[in-house]
Amino acid sequence: MTAVVPEFLPDVLAWVVVAAFVATAALERYDRRRARVVGAGAWVAFGAFWGVLFPQFAFGMKSFVEGALSLAAVPLCLYAGYQLYAGRDSLFLLSRAVGAMGLIYLPFTTVEPAREFLVEAVSYQTYLVIEALGYDPAFTVAEENGYHSAFVFTDATGHEYYTYLVLACTGIGSMSIFGGLIAAVDAPLRRKLRAFALAVGVIWLLNVARNVFIALAFGNQWFQFFVDPITTLVGYSQPGMVSFFIADRVLSQLLALVALVGILWLVVRDVPEVLTIVEDVAYLVTGNEYDLRRTVAADGGTRRDDAGR
């Protein structure tokens, strides 16, 4: 039996979490003792947020990668809250970053015109690339959200393969992550803006390529492998969904993790201060302390041409 989560709960929790992290950042300047208490509570709420999302990712969306990550995030958030409360003040920086990520991301989930514009802009660019590659699906309005974001491929037998883009297909989540990381650290504005522009540009291009790949793979049924085991495991009623599952839930999501690491490397070349946050995340995961800034600097991995500007 799949747990039923009220639709409003993730959004409410998200705003509570962001408000708590923003309050933590504000209190940090004046009263660190209270900031630790509020920050610890924010991390507990953040853990609850990921716990609430787990059934949606794992069972609703059939995404084992996102399901596993959301489940792993629960104890990590609780541990981060404990460490912050116990006096690991470097976690104030990570807390500030999470708050900034939320401030970037949440408006697109709640402001309808912003969400519609972003989804339709990415959908149109995806369609242009698909068309340039020699394919001609119908590009139409999605029944599910009313946005011009749906692609319909028709095979030789007249069978239609329908897919559509949603907010998660725009890359705004990844953009918010890097925007939050860059905004949180103390570094010259010029370097921060340059790193943010680079991250957003790369994410945008890779995301459009990802959408094109998934649409073509599903529309042309490129990955009809292990159909019976996958349909049984995932619970699909239509065998054709196997191509979508492999293209999106497996290949694209695994490659996205690799891409995020690569983009992080590009960002820290301009803003090595971000490595302080990465060090804390690594500590929470492994329990070991790291000095990544010294390692990266020793390898010549950071730019120093305008370090003082």
Side-chain angles (χ1 to χ4, degrees), residues 124-137 139 151 153 212 216:
Y124 181 64
Q125 292 174 2
T126 300
Y127 174 69
L128 289 180
V129 176
I130 291 174
E131 195 176 41
L133 292 174
Y135 298 91
D136 189 27
F139 180 43
F151 305 96
F153 291 81
V212 170
L216 291 178

Side-chain angles (χ1 to χ4, degrees), residues 19 50 70 75 106 109 113 119-120 136 163 178 185 205 233 281 285 288:
W50 288 115
S70 61
L106 286 183
T109 69
V119 171
E120 291 195 342
D136 189 27
T163 185
F178 286 101
V185 299
L205 291 174
L233 175 66
V281 173
V285 173
N288 297 320

Side-chain angles (χ1 to χ4, degrees), residues 1-77:
M1 182 173 66
T2 302
V4 178
V5 176
E7 291 186 7
F8 67 87
L9 187 56
D11 287 341
V12 171
L13 268 177
W15 280 109
V16 169
V17 167
V18 171
F21 278 123
V22 171
T24 301
L27 285 170
E28 179 193 353
R29 297 175 177 272
Y30 308 104
D31 189 339
R32 285 211 161 188
R33 184 183 63 82
R34 290 187 179 180
R36 287 192 191 94
V37 174
V38 175
W43 280 106
V44 171
F46 200 28
F49 170 76
W50 288 115
V52 165
L53 285 184
F54 169 71
Q56 176 184 338
F57 285 141
F59 307 118
M61 297 172 58
K62 319 292 186 185
S63 174
F64 299 121
V65 174
E66 290 175 307
L69 290 175
S70 61
L71 189 61
V74 176
L76 282 176
C77 288

Side-chain angles (χ1 to χ4, degrees), residues 18-215:
V18 171
F21 278 123
V22 171
T24 301
L27 285 170
E28 179 193 353
R29 297 175 177 272
Y30 308 104
D31 189 339
R32 285 211 161 188
R33 184 183 63 82
R34 290 187 179 180
R36 287 192 191 94
V37 174
V38 175
W43 280 106
V44 171
F46 200 28
F49 170 76
W50 288 115
V52 165
L53 285 184
F54 169 71
Q56 176 184 338
F57 285 141
F59 307 118
M61 297 172 58
K62 319 292 186 185
S63 174
F64 299 121
V65 174
E66 290 175 307
L69 290 175
S70 61
L71 189 61
V74 176
L76 282 176
C77 288
L78 297 179
Y79 186 51
Y82 166 75
Q83 287 290 334
L84 179 60
Y85 185 77
R88 189 177 177 90
D89 284 358
S90 60
L91 285 171
F92 278 123
L93 187 57
L94 178 57
S95 302
R96 198 186 315 155
V98 174
M101 293 173 196
L103 290 177
I104 296 171
Y105 181 78
L106 286 183
F108 289 97
T109 69
T110 55
V111 180
E112 175 63 24
R115 180 169 64 248
E116 180 178 1
F117 171 79
L118 185 59
V119 171
E120 291 195 342
V122 173
S123 299
Y124 181 64
Q125 292 174 2
T126 300
Y127 174 69
L128 289 180
V129 176
I130 291 174
E131 195 176 41
L133 292 174
Y135 298 91
D136 189 27
F139 180 43
T140 185
V141 175
E143 297 177 359
E144 292 79 0
N145 56 24
Y147 303 157
H148 203 113
S149 64
F151 305 96
V152 183
F153 291 81
T154 306
D155 64 17
T157 67
H159 186 80
E160 294 183 343
Y161 298 95
Y162 167 90
T163 185
Y164 65 100
L165 271 59
V166 296
L167 184 64
C169 304
T170 63
I172 187 62
S174 298
M175 295 177 198
S176 300
I177 290 173
F178 286 101
L181 291 174
I182 294 167
V185 299
D186 184 15
L189 181 60
R190 179 174 177 175
R191 287 199 282 117
K192 293 171 74 169
L193 290 176
R194 186 168 64 191
F196 180 67
L198 177 62
V200 169
V202 172
I203 290 169
W204 191 282
L205 291 174
L206 291 179
N207 185 69
V208 170
R210 169 185 174 273
N211 290 333
V212 170
F213 169 68
I214 294 170

